[in-house]
């Protein structure tokens, strides 16, 4: 489990370092006299970006919690779809709900430092204490987590399987 967390944090860090460099590269036309200067300027900007820490530990913890929440929400949605279409029987769906409960209960929250960690801790506590995952209080808690994630720029995105609109 600790290895997975470390890998998730490393992946997020690499994405944070790569994305600004990709976005900052100017488009230079072939044969343009200013192309070498633009490339030199872009390289210097990339080096400066890489030298600065992309995120602190709290921001990374928030990003990991939001990613975890998105994955669990997506799994819940796809499982509900499969159950409604008869691809997953009641016993299978009950087993999936146990996995979902465990997933919600084990969100990495860290110390309370933001709306994300506060919302993630609420969701985790509810799941750990046996809340009905379909009850309004639990659904309100997961919506609050989604809104907290959106507040830091991480918008909820669900991946659909073929036949589910994906």
């Amino acid at each position: 489990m600790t290895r997975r967390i470390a890998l998730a944090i490393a992946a997020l860090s690499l994405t944070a370092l790569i994305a600004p460099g990709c976005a900052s590269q100017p488009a230079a036309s072939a044969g343009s006299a200013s192309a070498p200067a633009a490339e030199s300027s872009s390289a210097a900007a990339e080096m400066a970006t890489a030298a600065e820490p992309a995120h602190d530990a709290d921001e990374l913890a928030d990003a990991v919690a939001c990613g975890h929440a998105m994955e669990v929400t997506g799994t819940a949605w796809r499982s509900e779809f499969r159950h409604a279409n008869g691809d997953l029987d009641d016993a299978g769906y009950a087993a999936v709900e146990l996995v979902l409960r465990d997933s919600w209960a084990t969100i990495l929250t860290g110390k309370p430092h933001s709306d994300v960690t506060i919302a993630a801790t609420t969701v985790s506590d509810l799941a750990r204490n046996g809340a009905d995952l379909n009850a309004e209080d639990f659904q309100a808690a997961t919506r609050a987590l989604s809104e907290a994630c959106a507040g830091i720029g991480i918008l909820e995105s669900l991946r659909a399987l073929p036949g589910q609109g994906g």
Side-chain angles (χ1 to χ4, degrees):
M1 178 70 124
T2 305
R3 180 171 167 77
R4 285 185 185 172
I5 293 168
L7 289 173
I9 291 171
L12 288 169
S13 298
L14 287 174
T15 302
L17 289 173
I18 293 168
C22 292
S24 68
Q25 290 183 357
S29 60
S32 167
S34 63
E39 288 174 7
S40 173
S41 174
S42 177
E46 284 183 87
M47 288 178 64
T49 300
E52 299 171 13
H55 299 286
D56 67 14
D58 290 342
E59 289 173 328
L60 287 173
D62 286 352
V64 169
C66 291
H68 184 131
M70 272 191 280
E71 188 58 35
V72 178
T73 300
T75 300
W77 182 83
R78 289 184 299 276
S79 299
E80 289 168 7
F81 182 91
R82 287 179 179 245
H83 185 243
N85 286 324
D87 298 332
L88 190 60
D89 65 13
D90 290 342
Y93 189 67
V96 168
E97 283 189 321
L98 287 173
V99 171
L100 292 172
R101 176 178 307 288
D102 287 349
S103 294
W104 284 123
T106 58
I107 292 177
L108 176 68
T109 56
K111 64 181 182 193
H113 62 269
S114 68
D115 290 343
V116 171
T117 51
I118 292 166
T121 299
T122 299
V123 169
S124 181
D125 289 347
L126 285 168
R128 194 176 317 106
N129 292 322
D132 178 353
L133 301 184
N134 297 308
E136 181 52 37
D137 63 335
F138 189 80
Q139 293 298 312
T142 58
R143 279 192 304 275
L145 177 54
S146 178
E147 291 167 5
C149 290
I152 63 167
I154 301 174
L155 303 177
E156 188 171 81
S157 172
L158 302 178
R159 295 179 314 243
L161 295 169
Q164 297 178 323

